[in-house]
Amino acid sequence: MKDVAIQQMRIGAMLLIVLYHSVCYYGVWTGLFPHARQFESIFYWKQLSNLALTVFVFITGLLYAKLYFTKEKYSNRPKMLKDKALRLLVPYSLWAVVGLLLFPYGHILKEFYCGVQHLWFLLMLMVIFAIVIVSGKWAMNIKALIGGLIFFLISYAFIGEYGTRWPNVAAWTFAVRYMPAFICGMLTVRLGIAEKMKHRPVWMQLLTLAAFAFLAFFIGRMPSLPLYRLYVNLPVYCLFICFYVLLSAIHCRWAAASPTRLTVTAWEYISSTTY
């Protein structure tokens, strides 16, 4: 059975990405359009884009864990490595060459190995999956996941504070940044959070979601807090978990109330076509 909550979160993230790129002309692509009018609020649009990318990584980790436990899809590690390389590295190589031919700049080889334009996202996902594959069965151990979460949060805070002299080959710094979101997605499945929480009253789930949304917004506007980078994204990850639980609960109750329903809503149809 398809997870409608994952589909809906994916669509929401896609819409945020499209919305962000529709305003990039006004202050993001200054190199291409130096005379364009710039929005004073462009920083917040960038934050929306980062939020959407984090959602994508979160639901990737969540979906990976679900398929691992329900279908044992990723039990064969060599096969998984081959599949991910075909799905991520081959498209990256193809479109990276096209991008460099159309928009050549800087050191071409360095750009290719570190991530050409927006294609760094594919390299980053490949590094994340490589880490998971190397971890083997430890990747599904709850204590190991919590330990990994702490390690990557500290690593991201350290890199953000002091930087690194190592070249960003295969977009590894982005992998460090987004790995906690992937782990939180895995922990959501591993701890059975949705199954434990979906029977709670909807008003309680909405209140929890609103609390984490306020906390994420408040901390995000307070970069002067001590050790800010270490925990700034934690409320965001909790927000994603709450949102996933809420969507799962709504869908579960709605499906139970009308099990023989033959029609589908437009939202369901769009979701099913993007799975």
Side-chain angles (χ1 to χ4, degrees):
M1 183 178 179
K2 293 181 179 180
D3 193 326
V4 177
I6 290 180
Q7 297 171 348
Q8 292 171 342
M9 290 183 70
R10 181 180 293 167
I11 290 175
M14 288 171 58
L15 292 176
L16 283 179
I17 292 292
V18 172
L19 186 62
Y20 166 71
H21 282 88
S22 68
V23 300
C24 281
Y25 174 80
Y26 302 100
V28 178
W29 295 333
T30 53
L32 295 175
F33 307 102
H35 303 295
R37 177 187 174 187
Q38 295 191 15
F39 285 169
E40 294 181 359
S41 60
I42 200 65
F43 169 78
Y44 299 104
W45 288 100
K46 290 182 179 179
Q47 293 299 96
L48 277 180
S49 174
N50 293 333
L51 185 70
L53 293 176
T54 309
V55 170
F56 278 127
V57 179
F58 171 80
I59 61 178
T60 300
L62 196 153
L63 188 58
Y64 167 79
K66 282 179 67 72
L67 292 176
Y68 183 92
F69 281 109
T70 60
K71 297 184 179 180
E72 298 183 355
K73 183 176 179 180
Y74 298 116
S75 57
N76 188 330
R77 286 186 289 168
K79 183 177 183 301
M80 177 185 171
L81 181 62
K82 178 182 177 181
D83 290 343
K84 293 304 177 184
L86 289 175
R87 291 176 64 89
L88 296 172
L89 294 185
V90 172
Y92 170 79
S93 301
L94 173 63
W95 291 109
V97 170
V98 173
L100 288 173
L101 289 175
L102 292 176
F103 305 102
Y105 61 91
H107 301 283
I108 293 180
L109 284 179
K110 181 180 178 182
E111 293 295 331
F112 182 84
Y113 289 119
C114 295
V116 177
Q117 301 168 21
H118 294 178
L119 296 174
W120 61 263
F121 193 82
L122 298 179
L123 283 182
M124 178 269 296
L125 281 181
M126 188 66 227
V127 172
I128 287 178
F129 278 116
I131 293 172
V132 172
I133 292 170
V134 171
S135 301
K137 293 184 178 179
W138 281 99
M140 287 299 169
N141 181 279
I142 294 177
K143 292 182 179 180
L145 286 173
I146 294 175
L149 177 63
I150 295 172
F151 171 79
F152 283 104
L153 286 173
I154 294 174
S155 300
Y156 169 64
F158 183 86
I159 293 174
E161 187 68 25
Y162 301 105
T164 175
R165 296 182 179 180
W166 295 348
N168 192 27
V169 176
W172 70 268
T173 58
F174 290 110
V176 171
R177 174 181 178 179
Y178 287 100
M179 190 70 187
F182 190 91
I183 294 175
C184 285
M186 295 173 67
L187 279 172
T188 302
V189 176
R190 191 68 182 87
L191 296 173
I193 296 177
E195 289 71 20
K196 295 176 181 178
M197 302 294 294
K198 66 182 180 183
H199 298 297
R200 299 286 181 90
V202 173
W203 66 266
M204 185 181 295
Q205 296 186 35
L206 286 171
L207 188 62
T208 306
L209 188 147
F212 279 117
F214 172 79
L215 193 61
F217 179 78
F218 175 77
I219 295 179
R221 292 176 60 87
M222 300 289 288
S224 59
L225 291 172
L227 302 176
Y228 168 80
R229 295 180 182 273
L230 184 62
Y231 52 81
V232 61
N233 289 321
L234 285 178
V236 177
Y237 304 145
C238 294
L239 179 65
F240 295 161
I241 295 173
C242 291
F243 199 61
Y244 172 72
V245 171
L246 178 63
L247 290 175
S248 298
I250 292 175
H251 175 70
C252 182
R253 296 179 185 184
W254 180 62
S258 54
T260 59
R261 183 177 50 87
L262 298 178
T263 59
V264 295
T265 64
W267 182 266
E268 280 184 288
Y269 176 76
I270 296 174
S271 299
S272 65
T273 57
T274 57
Y275 191 80

